[in-house]
Each structure stands twice: as structure tokens, then as C-alpha cells.
Amino acid sequence: MDEIKVITLPLPFRQGTVNCYLVETGTGSILIDTGASNKRDELERELASAGCKPGKLALIVLTHGDFDHTGNAAYLREKFGAKIAMHQDDSGMAEHADMFWNRSSGNAIIRILAPILFRFAKANRFEPDFHVDEGYDLSEYGFGAQVLSIPGHSKGSIGILTADLDLFCGDLLENTEKPATNSIMDDPEACESSLEKLESFEINLVYPGHGKPFAIEQFTSSRQQSSQG
């Protein structure tokens, strides 16, 4: 069974926290999301404490293109020699340092504040080594898991479903106060379709981008109550 280490990093300006997940596969390590660049030293300490050294980190998988998830990807690729994988529909966010690339117009205030809160320096920009989409098999990296396309928060949002039916969901779901859909959705209709897709799997534990891991039943029961109300 793969060992999963939860790495929780503070966001700038006390905007909460963001999660990265280090998966030890037995043949190496895979990092799911990388946090924002403001706490790079803390991330490196966490990786070192887990025994993750240069040459051992095989792959960085990004659930979507937001800076609080991709901020350390370029740096870690350079230091560890890892490849970066993400969905093509979000790759322009990292390439152009634009959180709103391939997104709807969005809130004007958020557009102004985002570059300040999540500064994305030129050195942090990158092109992924390859793109992943629905059904991509991660077993070649020693990880028994597949990619799910779960747009809503962004067009290129992906989830990673393990052979044990645990789900890394990026920012489709969160658990900051209770398990719920993320408060920021670029496309609510796509979000709803993604949630319906998840219902076709007997998911056990959910690893969100923000907040503590939770059992899927905590979300589904709350969702059912809301629909009945």
C-alpha cells in the first residue's frame, strides 16, 4: 500500500492553508501539488524529513493551474529532476503566470488581488513535461492510480483516483469548515457534472486541496441534506 504524507502549508497574508501530498510508492515518490512559493523552505523541510531526495522524486502531478498549487513546481523540477504533469486546459496558467487563463471573466476585484496575493515570479513559470487527461494511468511511476477529469473550479482540473478508491480532488471539494464544493467555481454546471461523475465510483477517503482529508460520506450526506432542504 502506498504511503501518503500530507504537507499543509500556510498561504500568503493569512489566506488559509493549501495541501501537497507526497506519495511514497516503494520505487520512488510522487508529489501531488506543490503549494505557493511563499513557504518553499517549509516544503523542502517536509520533503527532506520524508526522505525525499534529488533523484527520488519521479513525478509532480498538478491538479490545476492556480499559483497556490503550482508555485514550487519549476523549482522542484530543477532540484529533484522530477517531471511535471498537468491537464492541457490549465497549462497556460503556469506558462503565462495568469490564473485567469482559459477561465471565465471572473470577479474584477479577485483579478486585481490575485497577482498580489499569489505572486508568480518569472522564475516560477514553466511548461509541463507532459499533459494528462481522463484515464491516464500512473502505474508506470509505481503509483496504482488513474487521472479523472473533474472541471468546474477550472477547465483543466483533474482528480487522481487510487486503486484503493481514495481521491485527490484538487479544488473541486474542500474541507475548511466542513466537506463542501470549493467556494470558487469557474463553471458551476461543469462542477455539477464532475460531482455526478464521482458518484459512479465507490470513493472512500478524499484528499482535498484545502482542509483535512475526509470520508466521502461526510460530503454526500451534507449534499443530500442541502438538496432536500
Side-chain angles (χ1 to χ4, degrees):
M1 184 175 179
D2 299 319
E3 181 180 342
I4 300 170
K5 178 180 176 65
V6 182
I7 301 174
T8 301
L9 301 173
L11 291 170
F13 303 102
R14 298 183 179 180
Q15 293 296 306
T17 61
V18 63
N19 296 326
C20 314
Y21 297 101
L22 183 66
V23 182
E24 175 55 59
T25 67
T27 60
S29 299
I30 292 174
L31 184 64
I32 300 173
D33 290 335
T34 69
S37 59
N38 66 302
K39 291 297 180 180
R40 182 168 293 167
D41 290 346
E42 188 171 334
L43 173 60
E44 288 192 272
R45 286 195 296 270
E46 292 283 355
L47 294 176
S49 70
C52 186
K53 303 175 182 178
K56 188 178 179 183
L57 183 63
L59 182 67
I60 297 167
V61 184
L62 301 172
T63 60
H64 59 291
D66 286 342
F67 301 163
D68 57 330
H69 294 257
T70 66
N72 296 303
Y75 174 81
L76 294 176
R77 175 168 64 183
E78 178 69 22
K79 178 173 181 177
F80 288 87
K83 293 182 178 180
I84 299 174
M86 67 187 302
H87 196 285
Q88 186 171 8
D89 285 349
D90 275 17
S91 63
M93 296 184 195
E95 294 169 22
H96 307 295
D98 181 3
M99 280 181 64
F100 300 96
W101 183 87
N102 205 25
R103 269 181 162 142
S104 302
S105 57
N107 183 287
I109 295 176
I110 293 178
R111 279 184 172 270
I112 295 171
L113 292 177
I116 300 172
L117 296 176
F118 302 112
R119 184 171 173 269
F120 206 64
K122 188 174 182 180
N124 296 331
R125 301 180 189 182
F126 62 89
E127 292 184 12
D129 292 284
F130 62 96
H131 298 120
V132 293
D133 203 344
E134 179 78 21
Y136 186 90
D137 187 353
L138 292 165
S139 61
E140 65 178 293
Y141 293 93
F143 188 22
Q146 65 171 315
V147 170
L148 299 179
S149 176
I150 48 172
H153 181 71
S154 66
K155 288 183 175 64
S157 287
I158 61 170
I160 300 167
L161 184 65
T162 73
D164 296 324
L165 296 178
D166 293 330
L167 176 71
F168 299 88
C169 71
D171 280 2
L172 179 67
L173 303 175
E174 64 181 12
N175 188 22
T176 52
E177 296 180 1
K178 65 178 183 179
T181 54
N182 192 282
S183 57
I184 300 175
M185 280 295 154
D186 182 62
D187 186 338
E189 290 185 6
C191 169
E192 187 62 30
S193 295
S194 294
L195 295 176
E196 291 175 2
K197 174 190 284 188
L198 296 185
E199 291 175 358
S200 66
F201 300 96
E202 295 182 1
I203 295 168
N204 297 312
L205 195 63
V206 178
Y207 293 92
H210 303 274
K212 294 182 179 181
F214 59 91
I216 191 66
E217 289 83 2
Q218 293 178 260
F219 170 73
T220 53
S221 61
S222 176
R223 178 170 157 82
Q224 289 170 356
Q225 290 172 7
S226 297
S227 63
Q228 291 170 357

